[in-house]
C-alpha cells in the first residue's frame, strides 16, 4: 500500500480489520460443525442454526446499520460494532449449550451488520476515482480472503485445539482496530440524516420469517402451518417495507439508488455471483469431508488457492478497473469462474484432489480475483459519497441474502443428498449462476462518470 497517503493507509487498515472478523465468522464455522455437535449435542438442527442464526441477523440488519452509519457517523458506529462483536465472540466461545451458542451467534451477526457498511463507507468517503478503486481492491482481497480462509482456520482449530478458540481469536484484531480508530482524525460527520427504525423492523422481521420458512421447509414441509404462515407473513412484511421505501421522504433503502445504472445492474450481478460462491464454498467444505473422506484441515486447505490468488491479484484488478472500466472484468471474471465450476464435474468416486479439484480452484481463483474489486468499485463508485454508507449496506445485504437463500435451498439443488451426484448438480448450478452474473454485467455495466473523467485527465497529462 505504498502508493497510498498515510491517512488513506490508516483508513484501509481499519476497514480491512473491522470487516475481516465479520467475513471470517461467516465461513469459519462450516468445518467445525461436527465438533460443535459432538460437544454440545443437538444434531443437525443445531448445526443448521449455528450457521443460519449468524447469517439471518447479519443480512436482515445490514440495511438499518448502513443508515445508522450515515446518521451517527461511521467511526462511532464501527466502534460500537467492534465492542459488541468482541463480547458476542466471547459468549460463543464460552457457550455451555446449543441455545446459548445460537443466541450468541445471532448477536454476532447483528454486530457484524454494524461493521461491514461503516468500514467500506470509510473508504468511499475519503477516496475517489482510481485511488478508491485500488483501495477497494485491497479491502476486497483481504475480506474475501477471510471468507475463503475460514474453512482452513476452522479445520486447524478443530483438529489440533478446539473449535472455541477460533472465536476467541477475534478479540485480537478487534483490539488492534479499536486502537487504530483512536488515531483516525476525520471531519465530523453530519447528523442531519433520520433513521427509519420502522422500516428496519419490517425488513428484519420480514426477511427473517421468509428465511426461517426456507430453512425449515425440508424438515416440516410446505403444508405445515409452522412453515407457510411465517413465509406468508414474512413476504407481506417485506412487501410493506418496499412500499414504505417508495413513499417515505427519508427511506432506509432509497429505491432511487437502483435507477443508477451501475448500482442496479451491479447488485443484480452480485446476487448471482455471491449465490454461486456461497453454494460452492458450502458444498466443497462438506463433500470433501463426508464424500471424499478428508480431514477438517485438509478440506479447509482445498480452497487455499483461491485465497492466495485473491491476495495477490485483487488490488491489481481494482487498479486495472479504475483505468479501463469495470465491465470487461465483471464479465470475464464470472465466466472464468463458471469454467472452473464445470471442472468440478471431473470429481469421481476415485477421488484425487490434485487432478480433480485443484485445477478448478485455480481457475475459479483467477476469475474471482478479476471480479470482486471491480464489482464493488463499480457499484459504490456510482453513488454520491453522502450516501456511501447505505449504498455499501445494500450491496452487502444483497450478497449475504444471496448466500443465505441458496444454502437454504441446498437440499433442492443437490437432489436431497450431498453425494457425488448431488455434488455434480451443485457444480452445474454454480456454473449457471456465475454465467448469469457475467451476462448481466456485460449488458448493464458502464464506466462511472467520475472514473471516466479521471482516466481522461490522466491520459491528457500523459
Amino acid at each position: 500500500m505504498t502508493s497510498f497517503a498515510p491517512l488513506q493507509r490508516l483508513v484501509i487498515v481499519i476497514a480491512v480489520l473491522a470487516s475481516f472478523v465479520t467475513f471470517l465468522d461467516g465461513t469459519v464455522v462450516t468445518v467445525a460443525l461436527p465438533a460443535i455437535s459432538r460437544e454440545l449435542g443437538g444434531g443437525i438442527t443445531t448445526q443448521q442454526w449455528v450457521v443460519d442464526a449468524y447469517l439471518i441477523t447479519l443480512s436482515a440488519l445490514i440495511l438499518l446499520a448502513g443508515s445508522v452509519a450515515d446518521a451517527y457517523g461511521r467511526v462511532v458506529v464501527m466502534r460500537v460494532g467492534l465492542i459488541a462483536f468482541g463480547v458476542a465472540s466471547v459468549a460463543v466461545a464460552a457457550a455451555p449449550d446449543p441455545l446459548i451458542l445460537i443466541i450468541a451467534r445471532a448477536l454476532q451477526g447483528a454486530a457484524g451488520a454494524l461493521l461491514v457498511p461503516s468500514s467500506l463507507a470509510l473508504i468511499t468517503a475519503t477516496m475517489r476515482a482510481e485511488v478508491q478503486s485500488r483501495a477497494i481492491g485491497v479491502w476486497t482481497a483481504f475480506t474475501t480472503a477471510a471468507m475463503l480462509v475460514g474453512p482452513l482456520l476452522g479445520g486447524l482449530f478443530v483438529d489440533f485445539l478446539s473449535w472455541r478458540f477460533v472465536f476467541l481469536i477475534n478479540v485480537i484484531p478487534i483490539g488492534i482496530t479499536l486502537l487504530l480508530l483512536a488515531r483516525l482524525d476525520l471531519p465530523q460527520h453530519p447528523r442531519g440524516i433520520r433513521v427509519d427504525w420502522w422500516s428496519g423492523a419490517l425488513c428484519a422481521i420480514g426477511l427473517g420469517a421468509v428465511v426461517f420458512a426456507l430453512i425449515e421447509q425440508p424438515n416440516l414441509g410446505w403444508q405445515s402451518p409452522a412453515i407457510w404462515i411465517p413465509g406468508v407473513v414474512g413476504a407481506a412484511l417485506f412487501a410493506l417495507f418496499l412500499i414504505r421505501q417508495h413513499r417515505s421522504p427519508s427511506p432506509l433503502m432509497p429505491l432511487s439508488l437502483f435507477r443508477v445504472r451501475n448500482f442496479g445492474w451491479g447488485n443484480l450481478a452480485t446476487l448471482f455471483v455471491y449465490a454461486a460462491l456461497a453454494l460452492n464454498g458450502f458444498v466443497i467444505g462438506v463433500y470433501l469431508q463426508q464424500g471424499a473422506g478428508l480431514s477438517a484441515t485438509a478440506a479447509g486447505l482445498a480452497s487455499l488457492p483461491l485465497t492466495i490468488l485473491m491476495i495477490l491479484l485483487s488490488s491489481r484488478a481494482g487498479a486495472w478497473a479504475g483505468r479501463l472500466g469495470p465491465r470487461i472484468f465483471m464479465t470475464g471474471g464470472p465466466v472464468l469462474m463458471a469454467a472452473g465450476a464445470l471442472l468440478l464435474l471431473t470429481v469421481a468416486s476415485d477421488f484425487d484432489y490434485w487432478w480433480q479439484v485443484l485445477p478448478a480452484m485455480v481457475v475459479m481463483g483467477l476469475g474471482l480475483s478479476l471480479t470482486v474489486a471491480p464489482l464493488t468499485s463499480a457499484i459504490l463508485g456510482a453513488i454520491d459519497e453522502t450516501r456511501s454508507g447505505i449504498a455499501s449496506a445494500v450491496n452487502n445485504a444483497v450478497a449475504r441474502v444471496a448466500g443465505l437463500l441458496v444454502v437454504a435451498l441446498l437440499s433442492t439443488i443437490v437432489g436431497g443428498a450431498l453425494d457425488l451426484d448431488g455434488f455434480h448438480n451443485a457444480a452445474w448450478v454454480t456454473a449457471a449462476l456465475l454465467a448469469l452474473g457475467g451476462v448481466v454485467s456485460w449488458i448493464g455495466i458502464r464506466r462511472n462518470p467520475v472514473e471516466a473523467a479521471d482516466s481522461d485527465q490522466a491520459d491528457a497529462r500523459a
Side-chain angles (χ1 to χ4, degrees):
M1 293 192 296
T2 56
S3 59
F4 295 104
L7 176 61
Q8 293 170 341
R9 287 197 296 271
L10 179 60
V11 167
I12 293 170
V13 171
I14 289 172
V16 166
L17 286 174
S19 299
F20 189 91
V21 290
T22 303
F23 286 94
L24 178 69
D25 274 39
T27 59
V28 72
V29 74
T30 304
V31 296
L33 290 174
I36 292 174
S37 183
R38 285 195 301 269
E39 182 173 337
L40 300 183
I44 187 63
T45 302
T46 294
Q47 293 178 353
Q48 286 179 295
W49 280 109
V50 167
V51 175
D52 294 331
Y54 181 83
L55 292 178
I56 287 174
T57 52
L58 178 65
S59 56
L61 297 176
I62 203 166
L63 282 177
L64 182 63
S67 183
V68 169
D70 284 343
Y72 296 101
R74 289 123 193 181
V75 172
V76 172
V77 170
M78 183 181 292
R79 186 175 287 115
V80 172
L82 286 166
I83 295 171
F85 201 94
V87 172
S89 296
V90 173
V92 171
D97 57 57
L99 179 60
I100 298 299
L101 175 63
I102 292 166
I103 293 173
R105 284 286 287 171
L107 293 175
Q108 264 193 321
L114 295 175
L115 294 177
V116 176
S118 58
S119 64
L120 192 51
L122 281 178
I123 292 177
T124 58
T126 54
M127 306 171 215
R128 300 301 289 179
E130 185 178 337
V131 174
Q132 183 192 94
S133 295
R134 288 190 286 111
I136 290 175
V138 174
W139 183 87
T140 52
F142 284 96
T143 54
T144 305
M147 297 172 62
L148 299 174
V149 80
L152 170 59
L153 186 59
L156 288 170
F157 277 98
V158 167
D159 288 341
F160 298 104
L161 290 172
S162 167
W163 62 267
R164 297 179 183 273
F165 282 89
V166 79
F167 299 103
L168 285 176
I169 204 171
N170 288 336
V171 176
I172 297 174
I174 287 173
I176 294 172
T177 310
L178 287 170
L179 290 175
L180 293 176
L181 270 177
R183 297 173 50 195
L184 186 62
D185 185 18
L186 292 177
Q188 185 72 11
H189 191 82
R191 299 295 199 270
I193 300 174
R194 185 177 67 88
V195 178
D196 187 352
W197 298 101
W198 280 109
S199 289
L202 288 172
C203 179
I205 298 172
L207 181 60
V210 169
V211 169
F212 172 85
L214 290 175
I215 291 170
E216 294 293 338
Q217 181 273 327
N219 299 324
L220 302 176
W222 286 115
Q223 73 279 2
S224 172
I227 295 299
W228 67 261
I229 290 177
V232 170
V233 171
L237 290 175
F238 194 77
L240 288 175
F241 164 75
L242 294 177
I243 293 172
R244 185 176 176 88
Q245 301 318 289
H246 179 67
R247 296 178 177 177
S248 174
S250 302
L252 182 65
M253 183 179 73
L255 298 182
S256 60
L257 290 175
F258 292 94
R259 291 197 291 268
V260 179
R261 185 182 184 105
N262 277 6
F263 188 86
W265 285 94
N267 274 288
L268 184 58
T270 297
L271 185 71
F272 290 125
V273 169
Y274 277 85
L277 290 176
L279 176 60
N280 183 73
F282 188 98
V283 168
I284 288 287
V286 173
Y287 178 80
L288 292 188
Q289 292 184 75
Q290 295 182 350
L294 299 185
S295 67
T297 301
L301 279 169
S303 60
L304 187 59
L306 279 78
T307 306
I308 293 172
L309 289 168
M310 279 293 299
I311 293 174
L312 292 177
L313 299 179
S314 272
S315 180
R316 295 181 182 181
W320 294 336
R323 292 195 297 268
L324 303 175
R327 186 187 187 197
I328 187 171
F329 299 95
M330 290 174 60
T331 301
V335 170
L336 189 59
M337 281 192 285
L342 291 177
L343 287 176
L344 290 173
L345 296 173
T346 62
V347 172
S349 55
D350 185 16
F351 181 78
D352 188 316
Y353 170 79
W354 300 103
W355 294 104
Q356 297 172 3
V357 177
L358 180 60
M361 294 295 100
V362 172
V363 173
M364 291 191 73
L366 289 171
L368 187 63
S369 301
L370 294 176
T371 302
V372 177
L375 173 66
T376 307
S377 180
I379 292 171
L380 299 186
I383 302 301
D384 183 78
E385 179 272 329
T386 59
R387 298 194 293 178
S388 59
I390 190 59
S392 63
V394 170
N395 182 236
N396 277 282
V398 169
R400 303 289 82 75
V401 169
L404 185 61
L405 294 178
V406 78
V407 171
L409 293 170
L410 181 68
S411 180
T412 301
I413 292 171
V414 302
L418 191 48
D419 52 15
L420 183 59
D421 289 337
F423 181 83
H424 287 164
N425 290 339
W428 280 111
V429 173
T430 300
L433 289 169
L434 290 167
L436 284 171
V439 170
V440 164
S441 298
W442 180 257
I443 293 172
I445 297 299
R446 299 293 183 269
R447 297 200 70 175
N448 287 319
V450 173
E451 291 177 346
D454 184 75
S455 179
D456 291 342
Q457 291 175 6
D459 291 342
R461 288 194 298 269

